[in-house]
Amino acid sequence: LGELVIGGAGVARGYLNRAELTAEKFVDSPFVAGERLYRTGDLARWMKDGNVDFIGRIDNQAKIRGYRIETGEIESQLLQVAGVREAVVLVRSDASGQKTLCAYYTPDAETDLAVNDLRSALVQELPGYMIPSYFVELEHLPLTPNGKVDRKALPSPEGEAGSGTEYVAPRNKLEAKLAAIWQDVLGHAKQIGVYDNFFDIGGHSLRATTLAGKVFKEFNVNLPLRDVFRHSTIASMAEVMARMERQEHEVIPQAEERECYPLSSAQKRLFIQHTLDGADQLYNMPELVQMEGHFDVERFEAAMRKLIIRHESLRTGFEIVKGEAVQRIYSQVDFAVEHHHPEDAAQIEQIIRSFVRPFDLGKPPLLRTGVIELGPDLHILLFDMHHIVSDGVSMAIVMHEFSSFYAGEELPPLRIQYKDYAVWQQSKAHLERIGQQEAYWLQTFEGELPTADLPTDYERSAVRSYQGAHLDFDVEASLSARLRELAAQRESTLFMVLLAAYTVLLSKYSGHEDLIVGTPVAARTNTDLEPIIGMFVNTLALRNRPSGNKTFLSYLDEVKETALGAFENQDYPFEELVERLNVKREPGRFPLFDAVFDMQNIEERDAELEGIRLKNYELDQLEEAKFDLTLFIYENNGSLSGGFFYATKLFKETMIRTLTEDYLRILTQIAENPQLELNRIECHKPSEGAKRVVDTIEFAF
């Protein structure tokens, strides 16, 4: 056995004016005369095969998420809390194998200590990364025969004792109403306590936006999105809301009946895009579902007809009237389910490929459905809609309401329709609010606009090509857990951590430290829009500056602020921004940015059909790339997976594979050491002229 030491020329010099501490912590180097080695406090043994076997610590110092932590310092702060008699802090491994801090304490006689009071006391004195994840109360601490604390005998923090937050019921009407809104937004069946953290129990950026909207509608209080992050417990949120001025919820009125209606800003973008060469299928939204069990095709068609009657957007056509693009609502449309009876597997593939075809925007409905019968109790459901009348949230509404109609249920009528939203977008009150948001975006993009061209395998053509492909990847469970810890530590979200890492990757490849990345948002900030099928998605242009001298943690804080500002001003149409900035349109590329980050956290609702088992039907199809490069990430039962969509006229698969490896490498490096400077983060492809830095080995005998 031996103690690990580190050193190197100019590294281990000692403590300034503290000779005793220097003598305690440093030893003379047996390798280089005149040099010193630092005693790390790690206990290890050198194996016969040359490897080092790490045993543990000779002191109570630990390294968690890149931070060196003295657990004794946490224990000292705990002992200063009134009512705490004894305290011990250990580093333990959780179910995913990640290191966490666990505090064990004994209270004074007849003293009732609340976990949240302990945490609050520590937060006042210690940084976030030193706050234990678990607090376990014991009657007494276990001792060894010689009277020292037996750390090995301390129990694992399991069950309620180690949950970290005890349930505290709402204490007034405001907290009770907030708890109900939280349960609705988060989809929780169990009760939520006033000290539960929104982002610890399933909250993310999309849900935070929804929460702010519901709070505004229920309380007439404009809760900024950043306040959801700052005050992420019901108790704290209720306290800050009590001091806010009341405002009237802006109700979207029903538009007066007319022959044609204006397009929304999102519809205008897609209408123009649809007319471009090669883009007539770019915004199709196909879905394929395999169904096992008794499926009633006539019942299915009747349910779809009810859905079309219920939502005007499914009876809407688009045309040019007096030089303006408009939408026209039809009272009736021709609709029929396509029936197919294939003879073999090859014919199934042919049917599916021919099913996904261009829509005529002037002839509603802009959706089609089909059924492939493979057997009496085996079918494939084909579904396709045009993006101009639908988005990701709308698809979830379609599946939910279709299944309700299929089950014979009735749904309450809708108060407003999509056309009402399009007319409201042009109202004076809405334009005034958009004008206020415009100031934020113009300030964000003042000065010279950055261009961060990625190196490509092929020269860019003046004619835009939408031919694309994708390459998938998975993020290891342990790495996913560490990234979530990192997000929680900085009071941010996984979206922000992954976006920050993506911009670092793009900076390494392009050699630029001023970047714009696009990201789509649901843009349903008004709660009146929740049940409406239609196209609401807006694109946000996020401008970040991943300068090499910044640590990842400091850069993450910047990305967080940029994202919060953008989300709070997400109603301002991207098309308006491009026009106001007078962005030069270049043939063959998207204005303002070429790279996109898309984290899929749409609240999907599984369709349930009685006696039928549903599962997605996968089939490789010709893929289309709307942008040069898109990173998409999915969350699934706590695990992360994703991939890159890329334009095959610009990139080879080999480059995208390298890009994927580098992104995962960056995620690993920032999870292991969040304080790492950006210029020390390594890739296969460093930026031009950048010096490739090899991390110093942490120890040597």
Side-chain angles (χ1 to χ4, degrees):
L1 290 178
E3 182 189 350
L4 292 179
V5 291
I6 65 174
V11 177
R13 293 300 187 191
Y15 291 93
L16 182 63
N17 299 326
R18 301 185 68 181
E20 291 184 4
L21 187 58
T22 298
E24 176 189 344
K25 294 294 185 182
F26 291 83
V27 296
D28 291 333
S29 171
F31 309 111
V32 182
E35 293 295 338
R36 289 173 176 161
L37 300 178
Y38 173 64
R39 300 162 62 93
T40 69
D42 297 317
L43 192 64
R45 59 184 173 184
W46 203 341
M47 308 297 288
K48 290 181 179 180
D49 60 4
N51 290 321
V52 175
D53 184 18
F54 175 77
I55 305 298
R57 295 286 302 170
I58 63 171
D59 57 16
N60 293 326
Q61 189 183 87
K63 186 174 182 181
I64 298 180
R65 299 190 296 273
Y67 294 101
R68 285 288 182 187
I69 296 173
E70 288 283 359
T71 56
E73 187 177 349
I74 306 173
E75 294 169 0
S76 176
Q77 292 296 337
L78 272 173
L79 290 171
Q80 294 182 37
V81 178
V84 174
R85 186 174 73 253
E86 300 172 295
V88 173
V89 176
L90 291 186
V91 177
R92 308 198 72 119
S93 295
D94 60 19
S96 64
Q98 299 306 303
K99 291 180 180 179
T100 59
L101 291 170
C102 178
Y104 299 86
Y105 63 96
T106 62
D108 288 334
E110 300 181 358
T111 299
D112 186 17
L113 289 173
V115 169
N116 288 289
D117 291 338
L118 292 176
R119 178 182 282 107
S120 297
L122 292 182
V123 166
Q124 302 302 316
E125 304 295 335
L126 298 173
Y129 60 84
M130 292 182 71
I131 307 302
S133 300
Y134 301 95
F135 291 80
V136 180
E137 182 177 319
L138 301 173
E139 291 185 11
H140 57 81
L141 298 180
L143 302 177
T144 63
N146 60 6
K148 295 183 178 180
V149 175
D150 188 354
R151 295 174 180 265
K152 294 182 179 179
L154 290 168
S156 297
E158 298 173 347
E160 290 300 317
S163 63
T165 305
E166 56 193 21
Y167 173 74
V168 178
R171 298 158 297 184
N172 52 52
K173 289 184 179 179
L174 176 56
E175 290 184 347
K177 287 184 177 180
L178 270 178
I181 292 175
W182 278 38
Q183 283 186 282
D184 181 34
V185 171
L186 296 170
H188 279 209
K190 67 177 183 178
Q191 292 179 313
I192 297 176
V194 297
Y195 292 111
D196 287 326
N197 188 290
F198 182 77
F199 297 98
D200 288 346
I201 57 177
H204 49 61
S205 301
L206 176 61
R207 284 174 167 169
T209 302
T210 303
L211 174 66
K214 287 183 177 291
V215 165
F216 188 53
K217 184 175 183 179
E218 177 68 25
F219 300 102
N220 292 331
V221 167
N222 184 17
L223 184 69
L225 188 60
R226 64 185 65 244
D227 276 353
V228 179
F229 285 79
R230 292 171 179 164
H231 308 284
S232 53
T233 67
I234 290 173
S236 176
M237 190 173 290
E239 183 179 347
V240 73
M241 285 172 54
R243 301 193 298 267
M244 290 182 172
E245 294 183 2
R246 297 295 188 268
Q247 301 179 21
E248 287 299 319
H249 167 67
E250 188 175 3
V251 176
I252 298 178
Q254 293 180 337
E256 60 180 14
E257 191 171 342
R258 61 180 83 168
E259 186 174 340
C260 296
Y261 299 89
L263 303 188
S264 68
S265 57
Q267 286 178 325
K268 289 178 183 177
R269 178 177 75 246
L270 295 188
F271 185 82
I272 295 172
Q273 193 73 31
H274 181 84
T275 62
L276 300 179
D277 291 339
D280 53 358
Q281 280 184 231
L282 190 62
Y283 291 98
N284 281 42
M285 303 176 66
E287 294 282 345
L288 283 72
V289 180
Q290 182 171 302
M291 302 179 292
E292 298 180 12
H294 177 67
F295 179 63
D296 189 330
V297 178
E298 292 183 0
R299 192 169 155 193
F300 164 69
E301 186 164 334
M304 290 304 302
R305 290 184 184 278
K306 283 189 174 182
L307 193 69
I308 292 171
I309 292 173
R310 175 175 170 80
H311 291 275
E312 287 182 354
S313 52
L314 303 182
R315 293 181 276 113
T316 299
F318 300 85
E319 56 192 82
I320 301 293
V321 175
K322 297 180 180 179
E324 288 287 330
V326 298
Q327 55 182 319
R328 186 187 301 273
I329 316 297
Y330 292 80
S331 58
Q332 292 183 336
V333 292
D334 294 330
F335 173 79
V337 177
E338 300 177 10
H339 298 265
H340 303 278
H341 303 275
E343 298 179 357
D344 52 36
Q347 196 171 3
I348 295 175
E349 183 174 338
Q350 182 181 356
I351 291 170
I352 294 174
R353 291 190 181 281
S354 61
F355 178 79
V356 181
R357 56 190 184 273
F359 284 99
D360 181 345
L361 297 189
K363 296 181 179 179
L366 300 184
L367 84 162
R368 61 177 68 96
T369 59
V371 175
I372 301 176
E373 185 175 340
L374 305 179
D377 293 322
L378 184 62
H379 299 77
I380 297 175
L381 175 62
L382 309 173
F383 194 89
D384 193 12
M385 294 182 71
H386 196 283
H387 211 344
I388 200 169
V389 295
S390 181
D391 57 17
V393 175
S394 297
M395 293 297 288
I397 296 172
V398 168
M399 296 305 293
H400 174 69
E401 294 191 355
F402 146 68
S403 59
S404 296
F405 286 138
Y406 186 87
E409 301 172 6
E410 293 297 327
L411 297 174
L414 298 171
R415 187 186 69 81
I416 62 170
Q417 296 282 348
Y418 187 87
K419 69 162 189 315
D420 303 314
Y421 162 74
V423 172
W424 171 74
Q425 264 200 333
Q426 298 186 359
S427 67
K428 180 180 179 181
H430 183 73
L431 291 176
E432 286 178 355
R433 188 162 66 88
I434 291 302
Q436 295 172 359
Q437 293 191 11
E438 181 181 72
Y440 164 83
W441 289 106
L442 293 182
Q443 182 180 2
T444 299
F445 289 96
E446 64 181 357
E448 186 177 353
L449 295 178
T451 56
D453 292 329
L454 292 172
T456 59
D457 295 302
Y458 308 106
E459 289 187 10
R460 185 184 300 274
S461 171
V463 179
R464 183 72 181 270
S465 170
Y466 298 99
Q467 293 181 27
H470 78 277
L471 189 66
D472 296 332
F473 62 81
D474 292 313
V475 181
E476 292 182 357
S478 59
L479 178 55
S480 299
R482 282 182 290 170
L483 294 171
R484 285 188 177 85
E485 287 180 12
L486 177 57
Q489 172 191 327
R490 305 307 286 190
E491 297 181 340
S492 61
T493 63
L494 200 54
F495 170 92
M496 297 168 185
V497 173
L498 298 172
L499 171 63
Y502 184 40
T503 56
V504 170
L505 175 73
L506 296 176
S507 177
K508 296 284 185 181
Y509 271 67
S510 67
H512 292 273
E513 295 183 338
D514 187 358
L515 302 169
I516 302 175
V517 172
T519 192
V521 288
R524 294 179 184 239
T525 53
N526 190 305
T527 53
D528 289 356
L529 304 176
E530 286 181 6
I532 307 300
I533 292 176
M535 173 55 177
F536 296 94
V537 174
N538 191 20
T539 301
L540 303 183
L542 305 179
R543 185 177 188 177
N544 288 290
R545 296 174 173 85
S547 302
N549 61 343
K550 298 174 182 175
T551 67
F552 183 79
L553 280 186
S554 64
Y555 177 57
L556 175 59
D557 290 342
E558 293 180 9
V559 171
K560 172 185 172 181
E561 287 303 308
T562 298
L564 287 175
F567 286 134
E568 288 173 350
N569 295 276
Q570 64 177 280
D571 291 325
Y572 188 68
F574 175 75
E575 301 75 22
E576 295 288 337
L577 177 62
V578 172
E579 190 170 322
R580 289 287 284 114
L581 293 176
N582 195 24
V583 176
K584 181 182 178 182
R585 301 274 183 169
E586 296 184 41
R589 68 192 311 171
F590 199 81
L592 213 55
F593 56 80
D594 298 313
V596 170
F597 178 70
D598 186 5
M599 187 164 182
Q600 301 288 333
N601 49 23
I602 291 171
E603 307 301 326
E604 295 185 359
R605 311 176 209 177
D606 292 333
E608 297 180 0
L609 300 181
E610 183 179 356
I612 300 176
R613 186 164 61 253
L614 306 177
K615 66 177 182 179
N616 289 335
Y617 185 88
E618 301 292 341
L619 180 73
D620 291 333
Q621 300 186 66
L622 179 63
E623 295 181 289
E624 295 171 317
K626 299 180 179 71
F627 307 94
D628 290 359
L629 187 70
T630 300
L631 170 61
F632 59 93
I633 302 286
Y634 299 94
E635 282 192 274
N636 183 23
N637 296 324
S639 64
L640 290 175
S641 59
F644 283 97
F645 272 109
Y646 61 97
T648 54
K649 291 293 186 180
L650 294 176
F651 305 107
K652 295 179 181 178
E653 183 180 332
T654 51
M655 179 174 174
I656 302 301
R657 287 194 180 278
T658 303
L659 202 72
T660 300
E661 292 170 3
D662 278 336
Y663 184 64
L664 294 174
R665 182 176 288 105
I666 290 173
L667 293 180
T668 301
Q669 290 175 80
I670 63 175
E672 292 177 348
N673 184 6
Q675 291 283 20
L676 190 63
E677 291 183 352
L678 301 188
N679 57 20
R680 294 189 65 207
I681 294 176
E682 291 196 351
C683 289
H684 279 134
K685 175 78 177 181
S687 59
E688 184 177 351
K691 183 178 180 182
R692 189 177 175 119
V693 182
V694 180
D695 285 342
T696 305
I697 298 177
E698 283 201 9
F699 60 85
F701 282 103

